[in-house]
Amino acid sequence: MNTSTDSHIPSTPLRALLALCALAVVSQLYWPLPVLPQVARAHGLAPGAAGMVVSVFGMAYAAGFLLFGPLSDRLGRRAVMAWGLAALAPLTAALACAPSSALLLAGRALQGLAAAAFAPAAIAYLSERGTPRQRTWGVAWISTAFLSAGLQGQMYGGAVAGRWGLGAAMLPLAAVYAITACALLRTPADARATARALPSLRASIQAMGTLLADARLRRAYGPALLLLLCFVAFYLLLDMHAGAALRAQGITPLAARAVALPAFLAPLAVAAAMARIGAARWVTLGLGTAAAGLLLAAWAGTTHLPGLLAASVVFVLGVGTSVPSLIARVAGLAATPVRGLAVALYTFVLFVGASLGPWLAQATAHWPQAAALGLLAALLGAAALYAATPISSAPGDHP
């Protein structure tokens, strides 16, 4: 594990800036969701194809974790973060005036790849520096920023892109990336890694195969694939089925998302009680809570709008509990030499699921709302049962 020169401890303003940047980076995945019809009209895309603006970013973002996580071990956390953001800032600014759908989609894929340099390096950077308290809360706050981007990013997209256009949403985010990159480049450089060579592609694939062969880790990776898939699909389905009914009651899509925002403070509660309750129990509790929220939403439908909004809070609370619990579960189960790769693989799986969310929402758009949300509830309910199943009861599995 790389450490910084002279054990450099990031200042409180830098920690705050990294948390803001985390919010801005992950918001790139989510901000187009409430304005996909506007994206389709602006770039001549079919309504179903507009979801590709989310999917191509998410797929490239997920794949980038497998590259930049190990690379930060070799080149240093600060360098990978700073140069990734230095590439992301002009890319994002250029997309403000993308002239065609082909260039927009290609640019979104490049955006996703550059954005992936930030998350794994930032988590490691804050987890390695400062007192135990500084490390714990630094990671907790940046995790909260990553998670709350799922709602704040959508709120930002609806408020900014929905009012002033797609380009207007890109430029403030580009400014945050540029400012953070400059701040990082002014901090002491990381110590150079030892002469250990980067693993070959074959060795990395073999290591990932070893991780996936562990039945205990599969019980974290499987639920991770479904978690953000259901989260993204839920809000798209909410807009499709209940958007008109909510607007008739004076509730905008922005307000419908804002209701659940406090639930994304769940990672702070998880961090405070993790040692006492344990990651495995938190995982089951979080997934079960998210599934229960979806069942409540399916029951409420458009005839009980207060119940539907309350159900969204329960669902988001479950998601906010599950994500950091799954990270802790993976980190606790993986052996030290492959722990970084195990967490990177988890994050890869998580965001692959997020990228498939628009597809699932589109595929079930013609279903009744209760059926579509019931499917999401069934997926997360099955994930909760799978995560809680003892290894010995699963034939063919071995710890």
Side-chain angles (χ1 to χ4, degrees):
M1 184 177 289
N2 228 5
T3 56
S4 56
T5 302
D6 299 327
S7 301
H8 170 68
I9 299 175
S11 64
T12 298
L14 180 58
R15 290 172 188 271
L17 182 59
L18 289 174
L20 174 63
C21 190
L23 180 65
V25 165
V26 184
S27 290
Q28 283 289 355
L29 177 66
Y30 295 106
W31 75 257
L33 290 175
V35 292
L36 286 180
Q38 187 175 334
V39 173
R41 290 193 300 271
H43 291 277
L45 294 168
M52 289 295 292
V53 172
V54 175
S55 296
V56 295
F57 177 93
M59 288 293 187
Y61 186 57
F65 290 132
L66 301 181
L67 169 65
F68 291 113
L71 196 62
S72 73
D73 287 330
R74 175 65 175 163
L75 302 180
R77 317 299 188 198
R78 189 208 70 150
V80 169
M81 281 191 292
W83 293 113
L85 292 171
L88 181 59
L91 270 172
T92 301
L95 280 180
C97 53
S100 68
S101 60
L103 286 176
L104 175 66
L105 294 176
R108 286 286 286 170
L110 291 173
Q111 256 192 325
L113 188 60
F118 180 77
I123 291 172
Y125 184 80
L126 292 176
S127 69
E128 294 166 353
R129 291 160 172 80
T131 65
R133 179 179 174 82
Q134 286 174 322
R135 295 197 298 268
T136 298
W137 286 103
V139 172
W141 279 111
I142 203 168
S143 297
T144 300
F146 284 138
L147 283 171
S148 64
L151 287 182
Q152 292 197 58
Q154 294 185 60
M155 293 165 62
Y156 173 80
V160 179
R163 181 173 300 178
W164 293 296
L166 306 182
M170 296 286 193
L171 295 178
L173 298 176
V176 173
Y177 308 146
I179 291 168
T180 308
C182 290
L184 285 167
L185 289 172
R186 295 180 62 184
T187 64
D190 293 340
R192 295 300 261 175
T194 62
R196 178 173 59 86
L198 286 171
S200 65
L201 177 61
R202 180 178 178 181
S204 296
I205 292 173
Q206 288 175 336
M208 284 187 281
T210 301
L211 293 170
L212 292 173
D214 188 324
R216 300 167 303 169
L217 285 170
R218 288 204 302 273
R219 279 159 173 74
Y221 291 140
L225 180 66
L226 297 175
L227 193 60
L228 291 190
L229 181 151
C230 291
F231 176 79
V232 170
F234 171 78
Y235 276 101
L236 289 175
L237 289 168
L238 188 70
D239 289 341
M240 293 174 188
H241 291 285
L246 288 168
R247 283 191 292 272
Q249 297 297 318
I251 303 171
T252 65
L254 185 66
R257 286 159 171 81
V259 165
L261 190 58
F264 265 139
L265 295 176
L268 303 180
V270 171
M274 181 67 72
R276 186 169 65 255
I277 297 177
R281 289 190 180 92
W282 271 120
V283 167
T284 304
L285 177 63
L287 292 169
T289 300
L294 289 168
L295 282 175
L296 287 172
W299 167 80
T302 56
T303 57
H304 300 89
L305 292 180
L308 179 63
L309 294 176
S312 75
V313 177
V314 176
F315 170 60
V316 170
L317 179 64
V319 173
T321 301
S322 300
V323 170
S325 305
L326 285 166
I327 292 175
R329 183 68 173 148
V330 169
L333 290 172
T336 300
V338 292
R339 186 167 294 145
L341 180 60
V343 174
L345 182 58
Y346 157 79
T347 315
F348 167 77
V349 170
L350 189 74
F351 282 98
V352 166
S355 302
L356 295 174
W359 168 81
L360 181 61
Q362 197 64 37
T364 57
H366 63 286
W367 293 14
Q369 179 179 334
L373 295 181
L375 173 63
L376 301 186
L379 290 174
L380 289 188
L385 291 173
Y386 180 59
T389 302
I391 301 300
S392 58
S393 69
D397 280 350
H398 302 285

